[in-house]
Amino acid sequence: MSTLPTTLPDWLALLESRHAEVHINMGLDRVRQVKQRLGLAFNCPVIMVAGTNGKGSTCSMLEAILLRAGYKVGLYIKPHFLDFNERARINGEMASDAALIASFNAVEAQRGETDLTYFEFTTLAIMHLLAGSALDVAILEVGLGGRLDAVNVIDADVSIVTSIDIDHTDFLGTTRDEIGFEKAGIFRPGKAAICSDPVPPPSLIAHAEAIGADLWLLGRDFNYSGDKQQWNYGGREQRRNSLAYPSLRGANQLLNASAALAALEVLRLELPVGAQEVRTGLVVVELPGRFQVLPGRPTVILDVAHNPHAASALAQNLGNMGFHPYTYAVFGIMQDKDIDGVVAPMAQYVDHWCVANLPSPRAADPEALAATLAALPPGDAKPGERSVTTFADPALAFANAMSRAGENDRIVVFGSFYTVAGVMAARKSSHH
């Protein structure tokens, strides 16, 4: 066998080159075999989080609260913006290159003849790293769906499904009921299965009942209430009152926070958390690219919204922001998304579209996108004050928006993780 890479970028390049050759067989048998050979097991409570939108926010709230409570917390979260290391966090810090390389080597040593995709290999490596880190609690974010996701070779003590909406139809199905069944695949018999979607699909409820999971439904087993100043959580046996609003902005965040608090209620004997730790955790939580408002002028908002559900929430948040004379959108999206459904709620807010190509074979063609956008009804824009321009990448689109926007205007960057990552990278390099 040839010598293995010694740097993280070389390892990732190797995995990407292999990935192109692996025929994706959707089952988990290959991942399970390598997991067993690795002896991969967590000797701490595991919280697993799936959902169309809200997964990252829920994971980050759990991490922030549990860190405040003094626990050693491991987090696997996806995807990354600038560094692969963002995917693995131990005690609030990104994993080092050396730690990741050691786990890549461990997976490679046990893989034998078993082919693994990039996602399967890196998932096993990060879970191996977390499992060996003497954690008090592990939080694992599911990638696609749930039932067939590589993370699902682990049995979680608490599973959360945040929202169920139409996305990734090639793999997960075309209805909320089909997708709900895939997400419910992370539930386990006798273990808490929390769903914070206000309208859970019947398939999710039926699957939880069929396997004997302990289903927690929003409105039945837990709920929230609030006014302008503060909010309250109520669970089966635990109430938490006069909580601060999460620092993550947006209409859906109380759904995500309630799911996080329900998970903590389930684990309250193993991982007791006090009222002040919950309050502080919600106030300090940060998550890049989820309605992230950057300091300075013009106002810049980064949001990875790439499906209609997330775009509607983004549009609602924009509507709540107060007056800006003009709104510029830096927009790039994958061709397989519901582009019309993403653009529709945003159209009334955007005056100037800066359409970017993205560094992926799945990227939507900017010229075709521009044609779609140019055909939108003008909303309340004055004639001649709307524009649609195309660019080779998000950095160029953002530079153009910055050059045209007045200091009281705003720029919203959305449509894909790639769009936001491209702007983040451009901003980072301009600061150095």
Side-chain angles (χ1 to χ4, degrees), residues 6 14 88 102 158 239 259-260 277 294 302 312 403:
T6 54
L14 173 66
V158 180
R239 289 199 61 79
E277 291 141 5
L294 302 178
L302 305 179
S312 298
S403 71

Side-chain angles (χ1 to χ4, degrees), residues 14 85 88 94 101-102 110 193 206 227 239 242 304 306 322 334 399 406 415:
L14 173 66
N85 313 56
M94 290 193 299
I101 290 167
Q110 297 300 331
D227 57 29
R239 289 199 61 79
S242 30
V304 294
H306 56 266
M334 295 295 155

Side-chain angles (χ1 to χ4, degrees), residues 120-251:
E120 291 165 345
F121 190 105
T122 55
T123 296
L124 281 167
I126 289 173
M127 295 199 303
H128 173 266
L129 170 59
L130 296 180
S133 296
L135 301 174
D136 295 316
V137 56
I139 304 164
L140 305 177
E141 183 190 326
V142 172
L144 260 175
R147 185 173 63 91
L148 296 175
D149 188 88
V151 174
N152 200 34
V153 297
I154 300 293
D155 295 322
D157 299 280
V158 180
S159 300
I160 301 174
V161 173
T162 54
S163 65
I164 297 108
D165 215 65
I166 312 296
D167 203 354
H168 302 291
T169 48
D170 307 0
F171 293 105
L172 302 182
T174 54
T175 67
R176 286 184 80 243
D177 215 50
E178 287 175 325
I179 294 171
F181 175 74
E182 294 295 328
K183 308 275 184 213
I186 68 170
F187 295 164
R188 293 294 186 269
K191 300 289 190 184
I194 297 166
C195 182
S196 53
D197 192 302
V199 190
S203 61
L204 177 138
I205 297 173
H207 180 71
E209 288 171 353
I211 67 167
D214 175 19
L215 185 62
W216 288 54
L217 292 178
L218 182 73
R220 185 188 78 180
D221 301 276
F222 68 105
N223 56 46
Y224 66 88
S225 59
D227 57 29
K228 286 270 197 287
Q229 267 63 51
Q230 53 190 26
W231 69 285
N232 308 309
Y233 163 84
R236 288 183 185 170
E237 296 173 35
Q238 194 173 51
R239 289 199 61 79
R240 295 193 185 269
N241 295 324
S242 30
L243 297 168
Y245 276 84
S247 63
L248 302 177
R249 300 167 56 159

Side-chain angles (χ1 to χ4, degrees), residues 388-422:
V388 182
T389 325
T390 58
F391 298 90
D393 60 48
L396 291 169
F398 181 68
N400 177 269
M402 284 295 284
S403 71
R404 291 158 65 199
E407 67 165 28
N408 296 320
D409 294 338
R410 65 182 171 184
I411 300 171
V412 56
V413 179
F414 79 107
S416 168
F417 274 91
Y418 286 105
T419 316
V420 172

